Amino acid sequence: AAGVIQSPRHLIKEKRETATLKCYPIPRHDTVYWYQQGPGQDPQFLISFYEKMQSDKGSIPDRFSAQQFSDYHSELNMSSLELGDSALYFCASSRQYPYEQYFGPGTRLTVT
Amino acid sequence: AQSVSQHNHHVILSEAASLELGCNYSYGGTVNLFWYVQYPGQHLQLLLKYFSGDPLVKGIKGFEAEFIKSKFSFNLRKPSVQWSDTAEYFCAVPAEGTGKLIFGQGTTLQVKP
């Protein structure tokens, strides 16, 4: 079965640089979620999109922005990167209720 | 606000021992509940889910969970763990209306061979 695809899998950036993470949801899933997971922590919700419209927003810094495109893939844009942005970034997709989410393999971002 | 609490943060078991991980949620309305597993260095995988009906649900890899509405609990169980079950386990509920997952703090399970 098709799964959630994320690219790149690993990304190394320097402070103040910009990064773009991509997510391709499972076919026919209309909702995409982004989560950030620091070392030894539970995933923290960043932002979600339903039918290409932002549906919810969590603790996402103003330096980050995201959107969902007409083909339902989503991109998370991160600017002015800081050392504290180093984390695993997961994308998940689902249909609407009951929100059964499937996660992608994640992008490991390292900011040096 | 909805919240999820996992009681056991670090559990160490020997192979063939039985497992029970506690999970409590705060929301009193219609609840959908999930357990996810994260093997070392990997992404979160859906272990099992509860939406309605039989409160005893079975998931992959021999795991099961029991939903007890009166106790606001959804505990994960496995009769006999294996070394390969070593992983982080997260209980989660979707937020009402948007579905963003609210995770518990996670439980690190270490199974000794």
Side-chain angles (χ1 to χ4, degrees):
Chain A
V4 177
I5 297 171
Q6 289 187 248
S7 66
R9 296 291 306 278
H10 301 273
L11 193 57
I12 300 174
K13 292 285 185 178
E14 295 186 355
K15 284 195 306 183
R16 293 180 289 278
E17 285 193 318
T18 298
T20 297
L21 280 55
K22 297 185 179 182
C23 169
Y24 298 85
I26 292 171
R28 292 181 295 282
H29 280 192
D30 49 27
T31 307
V32 168
Y33 307 81
W34 286 96
Y35 296 88
Q36 178 192 59
Q37 186 179 33
Q41 297 181 5
D42 57 296
Q44 296 295 311
F45 171 74
L46 293 177
I47 195 166
S48 62
F49 294 87
Y50 167 63
E51 286 290 346
K52 292 152 280 184
M53 298 288 289
Q54 182 179 307
S55 56
D56 200 356
K57 192 172 182 180
S59 49
I60 182 170
D62 292 340
R63 302 177 287 106
F64 294 6
S65 65
Q67 58 181 324
Q68 186 179 33
F69 295 85
S70 58
D71 63 351
Y72 291 94
H73 94 273
S74 178
E75 294 184 5
L76 177 65
N77 297 294
M78 310 160 69
S79 62
S80 302
L81 287 169
E82 301 174 357
L83 294 178
D85 296 329
S86 295
L88 266 171
Y89 290 83
F90 289 111
C91 170
S93 74
S94 76
R95 295 179 182 174
Q96 276 289 283
Y97 191 87
Y99 309 116
E100 184 174 335
Q101 294 179 35
Y102 291 87
F103 284 76
T107 295
R108 182 174 295 279
L109 172 67
T110 303
V111 182
T112 62
Chain B
Q2 292 169 274
S3 66
V4 178
S5 176
Q6 292 181 237
H7 318 302
N8 322 95
H9 297 297
H10 200 152
V11 174
I12 301 174
L13 295 173
S14 297
E15 276 194 315
S18 64
L19 170 73
E20 180 159 2
L21 302 182
C23 171
N24 285 93
Y25 60 93
S26 64
Y27 184 60
T30 301
V31 180
N32 300 320
L33 294 155
F34 303 100
W35 274 99
Y36 284 87
V37 59
Q38 187 174 28
Y39 297 103
Q42 296 191 25
H43 63 289
L44 288 101
Q45 299 177 42
L46 183 62
L47 199 53
L48 46 76
K49 59 197 176 190
Y50 174 79
F51 298 147
S52 64
D54 189 344
L56 186 62
V57 293
K58 295 189 183 300
I60 60 172
K61 306 185 185 219
F63 286 90
E64 64 180 32
E66 185 175 13
F67 169 63
I68 303 179
K69 188 174 182 179
S70 61
K71 295 184 178 180
F72 296 88
S73 70
F74 188 55
N75 292 354
L76 181 70
R77 300 196 292 244
K78 186 170 184 178
S80 176
V81 295
Q82 301 173 324
W83 176 78
S84 58
D85 293 324
T86 294
E88 189 85 12
Y89 292 82
F90 293 98
C91 182
V93 296
E96 189 178 19
T98 66
K100 69 178 183 186
L101 287 177
I102 300 167
F103 288 92
Q105 304 93 321
T107 297
T108 302
L109 172 64
Q110 182 182 354
V111 180
K112 295 184 174 180

